[in-house]
Amino acid sequence: MVPLLVVALIVLILFGFGFLADILWWVAALVLIIWLIGFFVRPGGTGGPRGRWYRW
């Protein structure tokens, strides 16, 4: 009985990790899209470093 519970617990943990990893891929893709939009769509003008929304 105990080995069955251990196997069931491992399956639940791995399923949860797989679901979380899938969500993290979507979050990473969303952040990349937002970063690219912010990189290419900058305010015009000669603002120098203040014209960008990031420091580097």
Side-chain angles (χ1 to χ4, degrees):
M1 182 72 173
V2 173
L4 182 63
L5 289 175
V6 170
V7 169
L9 184 64
I10 290 172
V11 167
L12 284 174
I13 289 172
L14 291 177
F15 175 76
F17 179 71
F19 184 71
L20 181 66
D22 187 45
I23 289 175
L24 288 177
W25 275 112
W26 283 107
V27 169
L30 182 66
V31 168
L32 177 67
I33 290 170
I34 290 172
W35 180 78
L36 286 174
I37 289 172
F39 185 76
F40 288 113
V41 180
R42 294 187 217 173
T46 57
R50 307 279 285 165
R52 293 187 221 126
W53 62 277
Y54 55 87
R55 293 187 173 259
W56 38 270

